[in-house]
Amino acid sequence: MAAAPADPAELEREAGLAGLFELHYASMLRLAVLLGADDPENVVAEAYYQIYRKWRRLRDIEAAEAYLRSTVCNLTRMRIRHLQVARKHVESPPEETVVSAESAALLRDDQRVLIDALQQLPARQREALVLRHWLGLKEGEIAAAMGISSGSVKTHTARGLAALTQAMEARR
């Protein structure tokens, strides 16, 4: 039996996603780790699945990276929120968070102190700082990724930077 001819749109989607995966998987995984995801691999996999489902509706294929980044931010935020609610309803909350081996392997020893301090920040401040200083995004791009206004980005960045500076100075 001969295989049915492949749909050109489907071939384009497969090729586009393969290229997106090659170029951005590692950076999206690091982003999820820096934002505090307890399961960054699953967060990134879900983000790629969501972009796969919505590929045909993307108006601009060049915007796929921004959509992916925004999705990783949103999924991480939702996962953290879900875990906070779930932990409130557990009789004996876990004593400490266990970091996955993959997450730990992505970090050098000199980065661990900074990551620990970042994890103590509120989620929005942490997101704003990571998107600004790690990814080097502009205010408008951060606002789009986080789903907030540019003014809120400035506020979260300034407050997060002040809190992070204070935490790092306290550790010295």
Side-chain angles (χ1 to χ4, degrees):
M1 275 205 254
D7 179 17
E10 188 65 28
L11 291 174
E12 177 194 346
R13 176 169 68 167
E14 296 293 327
L17 281 169
L20 195 63
F21 185 86
E22 260 184 60
L23 290 172
H24 302 293
Y25 177 78
S27 66
M28 292 301 141
L29 185 61
R30 285 187 202 102
L31 177 61
V33 168
L34 289 171
L35 292 178
D38 66 327
D39 57 349
E41 300 84 9
N42 288 337
V43 168
V44 175
E46 176 66 21
Y48 274 98
Y49 172 69
Q50 286 190 18
I51 200 168
Y52 176 82
R53 287 181 36 230
K54 297 177 182 179
W55 188 263
R56 289 189 178 125
R57 286 185 269 161
L58 285 176
R59 292 186 181 135
D60 181 12
I61 301 304
E62 299 300 318
E65 178 188 0
Y67 176 81
L68 188 62
R69 184 174 40 247
S70 178
T71 303
V72 168
C73 289
N74 290 335
L75 289 172
T76 300
R77 190 179 316 118
M78 288 187 317
R79 178 72 178 150
I80 290 170
R81 199 175 304 133
H82 168 76
L83 290 174
Q84 288 171 343
V85 170
R87 287 177 182 147
K88 284 181 183 178
H89 298 290
V90 174
E91 290 182 24
S92 60
E95 291 182 21
E96 67 180 69
T97 304
V98 178
V99 178
S100 71
E102 293 84 1
S103 297
L106 289 172
L107 303 174
R108 296 189 320 247
D109 290 333
D110 61 338
Q111 296 171 325
R112 294 189 200 289
V113 172
L114 178 61
I115 298 302
D116 290 341
L118 261 176
Q119 297 304 325
Q120 302 307 312
L121 295 177
R124 291 291 189 157
Q125 291 176 9
R126 181 176 53 244
E127 284 179 40
L129 287 175
V130 168
L131 293 171
R132 174 70 181 108
H133 295 287
W134 181 69
L135 287 180
L137 298 181
K138 297 175 184 168
E139 280 178 21
E141 294 170 319
I142 296 169
M146 292 177 66
I148 59 176
S149 70
S150 292
S152 294
V153 170
K154 291 178 187 178
T155 301
H156 289 306
T157 303
R159 288 180 182 169
L161 197 52
L164 188 61
T165 300
Q166 185 178 16
M168 295 299 289
E169 286 176 356
R171 291 179 185 248
R172 289 184 181 180

